[in-house]
Amino acid sequence: IEGLQSEVESLNERLRLQMESLEKARVHAKKVASESKDRQEKLEAALMAEKVKLQAVQVDSKDQTEGLQSEIESLNERLRLQTQLLERARAHESESKDQQEKLEAALMDEKAKLQAAQVESKDRIEGLQSE
């Protein structure tokens, strides 16, 4: 009986550690998601600013020389790079969310296993006590 009680206590400790681990993972995932969102918002703002600049340059470019055409190409390249950065930020945010969901699913699975083991241990204790 003492051995089973010790096993139950051990399982309870494992569950507690798993719960702490999940909480740390959640906090980290939220932090990463927040940072990703902040970066995404900054990139979107920069992208919008670049789009506005590009549109203004394109309107004036009809009357400008080849030098301005080169500047438009440069702005287009910057816009392309900003868009790539934005897409990467969005993908990173999605990956962080996927990782958090996987961690939560794994923890819930482990919790279910531990609870089943606790029930089994309690049943064994009760069986031994009734004998």
Side-chain angles (χ1 to χ4, degrees):
I1 291 174
E2 289 178 8
L4 290 174
Q5 288 174 335
S6 174
E7 184 179 340
V8 168
E9 290 172 6
S10 174
L11 290 171
N12 284 336
E13 180 62 19
R14 283 180 55 201
L15 177 59
R16 185 188 66 76
L17 292 173
Q18 287 290 333
M19 293 299 285
E20 287 177 2
S21 177
L22 174 63
E23 185 58 31
K24 288 178 184 176
R26 281 184 186 156
V27 168
H28 178 71
K30 283 181 182 179
K31 179 182 176 188
V32 169
S34 175
E35 291 171 352
S36 293
K37 185 176 180 180
D38 290 345
R39 283 194 305 266
Q40 181 179 344
E41 289 172 356
K42 287 177 185 175
L43 288 171
E44 286 174 347
L47 180 60
M48 290 306 295
E50 288 295 329
K51 284 181 179 180
V52 169
K53 286 180 187 178
L54 179 60
Q55 288 171 350
V57 169
Q58 286 174 336
V59 167
D60 293 338
S61 70
K62 292 178 183 178
D63 300 327
Q64 299 298 321
T65 63
E66 288 182 14
L68 286 178
Q69 184 61 37
S70 174
E71 184 177 339
I72 290 170
E73 291 169 6
S74 174
L75 288 171
N76 282 331
E77 179 63 17
R78 287 172 55 193
L79 178 60
R80 185 187 66 77
L81 293 173
Q82 290 289 337
T83 302
Q84 284 179 347
L85 288 173
L86 178 60
E87 290 171 357
R88 287 182 193 152
R90 285 181 179 154
H92 180 68
E93 182 177 344
S94 176
E95 289 172 9
S96 295
K97 185 177 180 182
D98 290 346
Q99 182 182 18
Q100 180 181 359
E101 290 172 0
K102 287 177 184 177
L103 286 171
E104 288 176 355
L107 180 63
M108 294 309 289
D109 183 50
E110 184 65 23
K111 183 178 178 182
K113 288 178 186 176
L114 289 173
Q115 288 173 341
Q118 285 177 328
V119 169
E120 181 182 328
S121 295
K122 286 179 183 177
D123 289 345
R124 288 170 50 197
I125 289 171
E126 290 173 5
L128 289 173
Q129 287 175 342
S130 68
E131 290 178 9

PDB file of all heavy atoms in Angstrom, residues 64-96:
ATOM      1  N   GLN A  64       9.407  62.888 -64.966  1.00  0.00           N
ATOM      2  CA  GLN A  64      10.806  62.876 -64.507  1.00  0.00           C
ATOM      3  C   GLN A  64      11.726  62.146 -65.485  1.00  0.00           C
ATOM      4  O   GLN A  64      11.274  61.491 -66.413  1.00  0.00           O
ATOM      5  CB  GLN A  64      10.886  62.207 -63.122  1.00  0.00           C
ATOM      6  CG  GLN A  64      10.082  62.918 -62.049  1.00  0.00           C
ATOM      7  CD  GLN A  64      10.553  64.329 -61.785  1.00  0.00           C
ATOM      8  OE1 GLN A  64      11.745  64.606 -61.773  1.00  0.00           O
ATOM      9  NE2 GLN A  64       9.610  65.240 -61.580  1.00  0.00           N
ATOM     10  N   THR A  65      12.995  62.186 -65.170  1.00  0.00           N
ATOM     11  CA  THR A  65      14.019  61.573 -66.029  1.00  0.00           C
ATOM     12  C   THR A  65      14.245  60.102 -65.666  1.00  0.00           C
ATOM     13  O   THR A  65      13.607  59.552 -64.775  1.00  0.00           O
ATOM     14  CB  THR A  65      15.354  62.319 -65.867  1.00  0.00           C
ATOM     15  OG1 THR A  65      15.765  62.168 -64.514  1.00  0.00           O
ATOM     16  CG2 THR A  65      15.235  63.784 -66.223  1.00  0.00           C
ATOM     17  N   GLU A  66      15.209  59.493 -66.335  1.00  0.00           N
ATOM     18  CA  GLU A  66      15.526  58.097 -66.075  1.00  0.00           C
ATOM     19  C   GLU A  66      16.025  57.885 -64.643  1.00  0.00           C
ATOM     20  O   GLU A  66      15.879  56.804 -64.078  1.00  0.00           O
ATOM     21  CB  GLU A  66      16.597  57.614 -67.056  1.00  0.00           C
ATOM     22  CG  GLU A  66      16.085  57.434 -68.456  1.00  0.00           C
ATOM     23  CD  GLU A  66      17.170  56.903 -69.375  1.00  0.00           C
ATOM     24  OE1 GLU A  66      18.211  56.436 -68.868  1.00  0.00           O
ATOM     25  OE2 GLU A  66      16.960  56.949 -70.581  1.00  0.00           O
ATOM     26  N   GLY A  67      16.608  58.889 -64.045  1.00  0.00           N
ATOM     27  CA  GLY A  67      17.076  58.794 -62.647  1.00  0.00           C
ATOM     28  C   GLY A  67      15.930  58.473 -61.702  1.00  0.00           C
ATOM     29  O   GLY A  67      16.088  57.675 -60.767  1.00  0.00           O
ATOM     30  N   LEU A  68      14.769  59.092 -61.966  1.00  0.00           N
ATOM     31  CA  LEU A  68      13.609  58.804 -61.132  1.00  0.00           C
ATOM     32  C   LEU A  68      13.095  57.386 -61.389  1.00  0.00           C
ATOM     33  O   LEU A  68      12.591  56.735 -60.484  1.00  0.00           O
ATOM     34  CB  LEU A  68      12.503  59.830 -61.375  1.00  0.00           C
ATOM     35  CG  LEU A  68      12.767  61.216 -60.775  1.00  0.00           C
ATOM     36  CD1 LEU A  68      11.627  62.160 -61.115  1.00  0.00           C
ATOM     37  CD2 LEU A  68      12.949  61.122 -59.275  1.00  0.00           C
ATOM     38  N   GLN A  69      13.223  56.909 -62.610  1.00  0.00           N
ATOM     39  CA  GLN A  69      12.807  55.534 -62.905  1.00  0.00           C
ATOM     40  C   GLN A  69      13.639  54.550 -62.077  1.00  0.00           C
ATOM     41  O   GLN A  69      13.108  53.573 -61.544  1.00  0.00           O
ATOM     42  CB  GLN A  69      12.949  55.237 -64.401  1.00  0.00           C
ATOM     43  CG  GLN A  69      12.443  53.862 -64.802  1.00  0.00           C
ATOM     44  CD  GLN A  69      10.959  53.679 -64.515  1.00  0.00           C
ATOM     45  OE1 GLN A  69      10.170  54.608 -64.678  1.00  0.00           O
ATOM     46  NE2 GLN A  69      10.577  52.498 -64.073  1.00  0.00           N
ATOM     47  N   SER A  70      14.922  54.834 -61.949  1.00  0.00           N
ATOM     48  CA  SER A  70      15.793  53.999 -61.124  1.00  0.00           C
ATOM     49  C   SER A  70      15.328  54.030 -59.656  1.00  0.00           C
ATOM     50  O   SER A  70      15.337  52.998 -58.966  1.00  0.00           O
ATOM     51  CB  SER A  70      17.240  54.487 -61.234  1.00  0.00           C
ATOM     52  OG  SER A  70      18.058  53.784 -60.336  1.00  0.00           O
ATOM     53  N   GLU A  71      14.930  55.184 -59.166  1.00  0.00           N
ATOM     54  CA  GLU A  71      14.442  55.319 -57.791  1.00  0.00           C
ATOM     55  C   GLU A  71      13.153  54.506 -57.592  1.00  0.00           C
ATOM     56  O   GLU A  71      12.970  53.865 -56.555  1.00  0.00           O
ATOM     57  CB  GLU A  71      14.184  56.788 -57.452  1.00  0.00           C
ATOM     58  CG  GLU A  71      13.759  57.012 -56.023  1.00  0.00           C
ATOM     59  CD  GLU A  71      13.571  58.500 -55.689  1.00  0.00           C
ATOM     60  OE1 GLU A  71      14.120  59.355 -56.401  1.00  0.00           O
ATOM     61  OE2 GLU A  71      12.866  58.756 -54.706  1.00  0.00           O
ATOM     62  N   ILE A  72      12.285  54.506 -58.574  1.00  0.00           N
ATOM     63  CA  ILE A  72      11.050  53.714 -58.507  1.00  0.00           C
ATOM     64  C   ILE A  72      11.386  52.231 -58.393  1.00  0.00           C
ATOM     65  O   ILE A  72      10.803  51.497 -57.587  1.00  0.00           O
ATOM     66  CB  ILE A  72      10.158  53.985 -59.741  1.00  0.00           C
ATOM     67  CG1 ILE A  72       9.578  55.387 -59.666  1.00  0.00           C
ATOM     68  CG2 ILE A  72       9.035  52.954 -59.833  1.00  0.00           C
ATOM     69  CD1 ILE A  72       8.887  55.828 -60.945  1.00  0.00           C
ATOM     70  N   GLU A  73      12.350  51.797 -59.181  1.00  0.00           N
ATOM     71  CA  GLU A  73      12.755  50.399 -59.119  1.00  0.00           C
ATOM     72  C   GLU A  73      13.309  50.053 -57.740  1.00  0.00           C
ATOM     73  O   GLU A  73      13.040  48.984 -57.191  1.00  0.00           O
ATOM     74  CB  GLU A  73      13.767  50.093 -60.219  1.00  0.00           C
ATOM     75  CG  GLU A  73      13.154  50.137 -61.614  1.00  0.00           C
ATOM     76  CD  GLU A  73      14.189  50.090 -62.722  1.00  0.00           C
ATOM     77  OE1 GLU A  73      15.392  49.905 -62.425  1.00  0.00           O
ATOM     78  OE2 GLU A  73      13.796  50.219 -63.883  1.00  0.00           O
ATOM     79  N   SER A  74      14.070  50.972 -57.175  1.00  0.00           N
ATOM     80  CA  SER A  74      14.613  50.770 -55.840  1.00  0.00           C
ATOM     81  C   SER A  74      13.491  50.676 -54.806  1.00  0.00           C
ATOM     82  O   SER A  74      13.508  49.814 -53.920  1.00  0.00           O
ATOM     83  CB  SER A  74      15.557  51.920 -55.483  1.00  0.00           C
ATOM     84  OG  SER A  74      15.982  51.809 -54.144  1.00  0.00           O
ATOM     85  N   LEU A  75      12.501  51.563 -54.924  1.00  0.00           N
ATOM     86  CA  LEU A  75      11.366  51.515 -53.996  1.00  0.00           C
ATOM     87  C   LEU A  75      10.559  50.226 -54.177  1.00  0.00           C
ATOM     88  O   LEU A  75      10.079  49.644 -53.188  1.00  0.00           O
ATOM     89  CB  LEU A  75      10.463  52.740 -54.183  1.00  0.00           C
ATOM     90  CG  LEU A  75      11.033  54.064 -53.667  1.00  0.00           C
ATOM     91  CD1 LEU A  75      10.158  55.221 -54.108  1.00  0.00           C
ATOM     92  CD2 LEU A  75      11.167  54.024 -52.154  1.00  0.00           C
ATOM     93  N   ASN A  76      10.412  49.793 -55.399  1.00  0.00           N
ATOM     94  CA  ASN A  76       9.720  48.523 -55.646  1.00  0.00           C
ATOM     95  C   ASN A  76      10.463  47.364 -54.991  1.00  0.00           C
ATOM     96  O   ASN A  76       9.848  46.458 -54.427  1.00  0.00           O
ATOM     97  CB  ASN A  76       9.550  48.273 -57.141  1.00  0.00           C
ATOM     98  CG  ASN A  76       8.417  49.064 -57.748  1.00  0.00           C
ATOM     99  OD1 ASN A  76       7.448  49.372 -57.064  1.00  0.00           O
ATOM    100  ND2 ASN A  76       8.523  49.394 -59.021  1.00  0.00           N
ATOM    101  N   GLU A  77      11.776  47.392 -55.075  1.00  0.00           N
ATOM    102  CA  GLU A  77      12.581  46.343 -54.442  1.00  0.00           C
ATOM    103  C   GLU A  77      12.427  46.394 -52.932  1.00  0.00           C
ATOM    104  O   GLU A  77      12.277  45.365 -52.275  1.00  0.00           O
ATOM    105  CB  GLU A  77      14.058  46.491 -54.839  1.00  0.00           C
ATOM    106  CG  GLU A  77      14.985  45.471 -54.210  1.00  0.00           C
ATOM    107  CD  GLU A  77      14.681  44.030 -54.609  1.00  0.00           C
ATOM    108  OE1 GLU A  77      13.970  43.797 -55.595  1.00  0.00           O
ATOM    109  OE2 GLU A  77      15.149  43.124 -53.894  1.00  0.00           O
ATOM    110  N   ARG A  78      12.458  47.610 -52.381  1.00  0.00           N
ATOM    111  CA  ARG A  78      12.256  47.750 -50.939  1.00  0.00           C
ATOM    112  C   ARG A  78      10.868  47.245 -50.541  1.00  0.00           C
ATOM    113  O   ARG A  78      10.705  46.590 -49.517  1.00  0.00           O
ATOM    114  CB  ARG A  78      12.420  49.214 -50.512  1.00  0.00           C
ATOM    115  CG  ARG A  78      13.882  49.671 -50.528  1.00  0.00           C
ATOM    116  CD  ARG A  78      14.052  51.149 -50.289  1.00  0.00           C
ATOM    117  NE  ARG A  78      13.434  51.615 -49.063  1.00  0.00           N
ATOM    118  CZ  ARG A  78      13.246  52.883 -48.779  1.00  0.00           C
ATOM    119  NH1 ARG A  78      13.635  53.825 -49.642  1.00  0.00           N
ATOM    120  NH2 ARG A  78      12.689  53.247 -47.642  1.00  0.00           N
ATOM    121  N   LEU A  79       9.873  47.547 -51.349  1.00  0.00           N
ATOM    122  CA  LEU A  79       8.510  47.085 -51.092  1.00  0.00           C
ATOM    123  C   LEU A  79       8.451  45.561 -51.143  1.00  0.00           C
ATOM    124  O   LEU A  79       7.821  44.915 -50.281  1.00  0.00           O
ATOM    125  CB  LEU A  79       7.553  47.693 -52.119  1.00  0.00           C
ATOM    126  CG  LEU A  79       6.092  47.268 -52.033  1.00  0.00           C
ATOM    127  CD1 LEU A  79       5.506  47.642 -50.682  1.00  0.00           C
ATOM    128  CD2 LEU A  79       5.301  47.927 -53.153  1.00  0.00           C
ATOM    129  N   ARG A  80       9.118  44.975 -52.104  1.00  0.00           N
ATOM    130  CA  ARG A  80       9.152  43.515 -52.219  1.00  0.00           C
ATOM    131  C   ARG A  80       9.805  42.895 -50.976  1.00  0.00           C
ATOM    132  O   ARG A  80       9.298  41.929 -50.405  1.00  0.00           O
ATOM    133  CB  ARG A  80       9.918  43.100 -53.478  1.00  0.00           C
ATOM    134  CG  ARG A  80       9.914  41.591 -53.745  1.00  0.00           C
ATOM    135  CD  ARG A  80      10.814  41.213 -54.906  1.00  0.00           C
ATOM    136  NE  ARG A  80      12.219  41.460 -54.639  1.00  0.00           N
ATOM    137  CZ  ARG A  80      12.997  40.679 -53.881  1.00  0.00           C
ATOM    138  NH1 ARG A  80      12.505  39.612 -53.293  1.00  0.00           N
ATOM    139  NH2 ARG A  80      14.269  40.974 -53.681  1.00  0.00           N
ATOM    140  N   LEU A  81      10.911  43.491 -50.540  1.00  0.00           N
ATOM    141  CA  LEU A  81      11.602  42.974 -49.363  1.00  0.00           C
ATOM    142  C   LEU A  81      10.750  43.138 -48.105  1.00  0.00           C
ATOM    143  O   LEU A  81      10.695  42.239 -47.257  1.00  0.00           O
ATOM    144  CB  LEU A  81      12.952  43.674 -49.183  1.00  0.00           C
ATOM    145  CG  LEU A  81      13.993  43.368 -50.268  1.00  0.00           C
ATOM    146  CD1 LEU A  81      15.226  44.240 -50.079  1.00  0.00           C
ATOM    147  CD2 LEU A  81      14.362  41.891 -50.252  1.00  0.00           C
ATOM    148  N   GLN A  82      10.076  44.288 -47.979  1.00  0.00           N
ATOM    149  CA  GLN A  82       9.195  44.510 -46.832  1.00  0.00           C
ATOM    150  C   GLN A  82       8.058  43.487 -46.833  1.00  0.00           C
ATOM    151  O   GLN A  82       7.665  42.971 -45.789  1.00  0.00           O
ATOM    152  CB  GLN A  82       8.620  45.939 -46.855  1.00  0.00           C
ATOM    153  CG  GLN A  82       9.628  47.025 -46.566  1.00  0.00           C
ATOM    154  CD  GLN A  82      10.070  47.053 -45.117  1.00  0.00           C
ATOM    155  OE1 GLN A  82       9.374  46.582 -44.248  1.00  0.00           O
ATOM    156  NE2 GLN A  82      11.237  47.612 -44.871  1.00  0.00           N
ATOM    157  N   THR A  83       7.540  43.185 -48.003  1.00  0.00           N
ATOM    158  CA  THR A  83       6.462  42.203 -48.112  1.00  0.00           C
ATOM    159  C   THR A  83       6.962  40.822 -47.708  1.00  0.00           C
ATOM    160  O   THR A  83       6.272  40.085 -46.999  1.00  0.00           O
ATOM    161  CB  THR A  83       5.907  42.178 -49.550  1.00  0.00           C
ATOM    162  OG1 THR A  83       5.435  43.495 -49.876  1.00  0.00           O
ATOM    163  CG2 THR A  83       4.770  41.185 -49.699  1.00  0.00           C
ATOM    164  N   GLN A  84       8.168  40.481 -48.130  1.00  0.00           N
ATOM    165  CA  GLN A  84       8.747  39.190 -47.739  1.00  0.00           C
ATOM    166  C   GLN A  84       8.902  39.120 -46.220  1.00  0.00           C
ATOM    167  O   GLN A  84       8.597  38.094 -45.603  1.00  0.00           O
ATOM    168  CB  GLN A  84      10.107  38.983 -48.400  1.00  0.00           C
ATOM    169  CG  GLN A  84      10.048  38.604 -49.852  1.00  0.00           C
ATOM    170  CD  GLN A  84      11.440  38.433 -50.451  1.00  0.00           C
ATOM    171  OE1 GLN A  84      12.443  38.827 -49.861  1.00  0.00           O
ATOM    172  NE2 GLN A  84      11.500  37.843 -51.633  1.00  0.00           N
ATOM    173  N   LEU A  85       9.391  40.209 -45.623  1.00  0.00           N
ATOM    174  CA  LEU A  85       9.560  40.234 -44.170  1.00  0.00           C
ATOM    175  C   LEU A  85       8.217  40.078 -43.463  1.00  0.00           C
ATOM    176  O   LEU A  85       8.097  39.370 -42.468  1.00  0.00           O
ATOM    177  CB  LEU A  85      10.243  41.529 -43.725  1.00  0.00           C
ATOM    178  CG  LEU A  85      11.722  41.658 -44.054  1.00  0.00           C
ATOM    179  CD1 LEU A  85      12.227  43.051 -43.714  1.00  0.00           C
ATOM    180  CD2 LEU A  85      12.517  40.610 -43.303  1.00  0.00           C
ATOM    181  N   LEU A  86       7.212  40.733 -43.987  1.00  0.00           N
ATOM    182  CA  LEU A  86       5.870  40.630 -43.412  1.00  0.00           C
ATOM    183  C   LEU A  86       5.355  39.199 -43.511  1.00  0.00           C
ATOM    184  O   LEU A  86       4.794  38.659 -42.556  1.00  0.00           O
ATOM    185  CB  LEU A  86       4.924  41.607 -44.124  1.00  0.00           C
ATOM    186  CG  LEU A  86       3.467  41.584 -43.680  1.00  0.00           C
ATOM    187  CD1 LEU A  86       3.360  41.920 -42.197  1.00  0.00           C
ATOM    188  CD2 LEU A  86       2.669  42.576 -44.509  1.00  0.00           C
ATOM    189  N   GLU A  87       5.555  38.562 -44.647  1.00  0.00           N
ATOM    190  CA  GLU A  87       5.110  37.178 -44.827  1.00  0.00           C
ATOM    191  C   GLU A  87       5.847  36.247 -43.865  1.00  0.00           C
ATOM    192  O   GLU A  87       5.250  35.337 -43.289  1.00  0.00           O
ATOM    193  CB  GLU A  87       5.315  36.732 -46.271  1.00  0.00           C
ATOM    194  CG  GLU A  87       4.366  37.408 -47.254  1.00  0.00           C
ATOM    195  CD  GLU A  87       4.713  37.141 -48.709  1.00  0.00           C
ATOM    196  OE1 GLU A  87       5.718  36.478 -48.994  1.00  0.00           O
ATOM    197  OE2 GLU A  87       3.959  37.627 -49.554  1.00  0.00           O
ATOM    198  N   ARG A  88       7.130  36.501 -43.673  1.00  0.00           N
ATOM    199  CA  ARG A  88       7.897  35.675 -42.727  1.00  0.00           C
ATOM    200  C   ARG A  88       7.387  35.875 -41.308  1.00  0.00           C
ATOM    201  O   ARG A  88       7.297  34.916 -40.533  1.00  0.00           O
ATOM    202  CB  ARG A  88       9.383  36.029 -42.802  1.00  0.00           C
ATOM    203  CG  ARG A  88      10.056  35.523 -44.052  1.00  0.00           C
ATOM    204  CD  ARG A  88      11.531  35.851 -44.063  1.00  0.00           C
ATOM    205  NE  ARG A  88      12.093  35.631 -45.384  1.00  0.00           N
ATOM    206  CZ  ARG A  88      13.132  36.272 -45.869  1.00  0.00           C
ATOM    207  NH1 ARG A  88      13.735  37.196 -45.150  1.00  0.00           N
ATOM    208  NH2 ARG A  88      13.576  36.008 -47.074  1.00  0.00           N
ATOM    209  N   ALA A  89       7.084  37.110 -40.938  1.00  0.00           N
ATOM    210  CA  ALA A  89       6.554  37.383 -39.597  1.00  0.00           C
ATOM    211  C   ALA A  89       5.226  36.665 -39.394  1.00  0.00           C
ATOM    212  O   ALA A  89       4.975  36.090 -38.336  1.00  0.00           O
ATOM    213  CB  ALA A  89       6.391  38.886 -39.388  1.00  0.00           C
ATOM    214  N   ARG A  90       4.383  36.689 -40.409  1.00  0.00           N
ATOM    215  CA  ARG A  90       3.092  35.989 -40.308  1.00  0.00           C
ATOM    216  C   ARG A  90       3.302  34.484 -40.174  1.00  0.00           C
ATOM    217  O   ARG A  90       2.624  33.816 -39.391  1.00  0.00           O
ATOM    218  CB  ARG A  90       2.233  36.293 -41.529  1.00  0.00           C
ATOM    219  CG  ARG A  90       1.648  37.691 -41.496  1.00  0.00           C
ATOM    220  CD  ARG A  90       0.782  37.956 -42.703  1.00  0.00           C
ATOM    221  NE  ARG A  90       0.206  39.298 -42.647  1.00  0.00           N
ATOM    222  CZ  ARG A  90      -0.165  39.991 -43.696  1.00  0.00           C
ATOM    223  NH1 ARG A  90      -0.033  39.476 -44.906  1.00  0.00           N
ATOM    224  NH2 ARG A  90      -0.682  41.194 -43.560  1.00  0.00           N
ATOM    225  N   ALA A  91       4.228  33.932 -40.927  1.00  0.00           N
ATOM    226  CA  ALA A  91       4.507  32.492 -40.858  1.00  0.00           C
ATOM    227  C   ALA A  91       5.052  32.125 -39.482  1.00  0.00           C
ATOM    228  O   ALA A  91       4.673  31.103 -38.901  1.00  0.00           O
ATOM    229  CB  ALA A  91       5.502  32.084 -41.954  1.00  0.00           C
ATOM    230  N   HIS A  92       5.931  32.987 -38.937  1.00  0.00           N
ATOM    231  CA  HIS A  92       6.505  32.734 -37.612  1.00  0.00           C
ATOM    232  C   HIS A  92       5.411  32.738 -36.548  1.00  0.00           C
ATOM    233  O   HIS A  92       5.398  31.896 -35.657  1.00  0.00           O
ATOM    234  CB  HIS A  92       7.580  33.777 -37.300  1.00  0.00           C
ATOM    235  CG  HIS A  92       8.221  33.599 -35.967  1.00  0.00           C
ATOM    236  ND1 HIS A  92       9.035  32.536 -35.684  1.00  0.00           N
ATOM    237  CD2 HIS A  92       8.142  34.332 -34.832  1.00  0.00           C
ATOM    238  CE1 HIS A  92       9.446  32.621 -34.438  1.00  0.00           C
ATOM    239  NE2 HIS A  92       8.904  33.706 -33.894  1.00  0.00           N
ATOM    240  N   GLU A  93       4.491  33.682 -36.661  1.00  0.00           N
ATOM    241  CA  GLU A  93       3.391  33.756 -35.710  1.00  0.00           C
ATOM    242  C   GLU A  93       2.536  32.494 -35.793  1.00  0.00           C
ATOM    243  O   GLU A  93       2.139  31.928 -34.774  1.00  0.00           O
ATOM    244  CB  GLU A  93       2.543  34.999 -35.978  1.00  0.00           C
ATOM    245  CG  GLU A  93       1.403  35.185 -35.000  1.00  0.00           C
ATOM    246  CD  GLU A  93       0.636  36.471 -35.262  1.00  0.00           C
ATOM    247  OE1 GLU A  93       1.136  37.347 -35.971  1.00  0.00           O
ATOM    248  OE2 GLU A  93      -0.469  36.571 -34.740  1.00  0.00           O
ATOM    249  N   SER A  94       2.288  32.026 -37.011  1.00  0.00           N
ATOM    250  CA  SER A  94       1.496  30.810 -37.202  1.00  0.00           C
ATOM    251  C   SER A  94       2.223  29.595 -36.620  1.00  0.00           C
ATOM    252  O   SER A  94       1.607  28.746 -35.974  1.00  0.00           O
ATOM    253  CB  SER A  94       1.232  30.604 -38.699  1.00  0.00           C
ATOM    254  OG  SER A  94       0.552  29.401 -38.909  1.00  0.00           O
ATOM    255  N   GLU A  95       3.541  29.520 -36.822  1.00  0.00           N
ATOM    256  CA  GLU A  95       4.317  28.410 -36.276  1.00  0.00           C
ATOM    257  C   GLU A  95       4.287  28.415 -34.755  1.00  0.00           C
ATOM    258  O   GLU A  95       4.181  27.367 -34.127  1.00  0.00           O
ATOM    259  CB  GLU A  95       5.769  28.481 -36.769  1.00  0.00           C
ATOM    260  CG  GLU A  95       5.949  28.162 -38.226  1.00  0.00           C
ATOM    261  CD  GLU A  95       7.356  28.434 -38.722  1.00  0.00           C
ATOM    262  OE1 GLU A  95       8.252  28.714 -37.919  1.00  0.00           O
ATOM    263  OE2 GLU A  95       7.547  28.369 -39.946  1.00  0.00           O
ATOM    264  N   SER A  96       4.363  29.610 -34.165  1.00  0.00           N
ATOM    265  CA  SER A  96       4.315  29.716 -32.712  1.00  0.00           C
ATOM    266  C   SER A  96       2.982  29.209 -32.181  1.00  0.00           C
ATOM    267  O   SER A  96       2.930  28.495 -31.177  1.00  0.00           O
ATOM    268  CB  SER A  96       4.519  31.172 -32.266  1.00  0.00           C
ATOM    269  OG  SER A  96       5.797  31.614 -32.605  1.00  0.00           O
TER     270      SER A  96
END
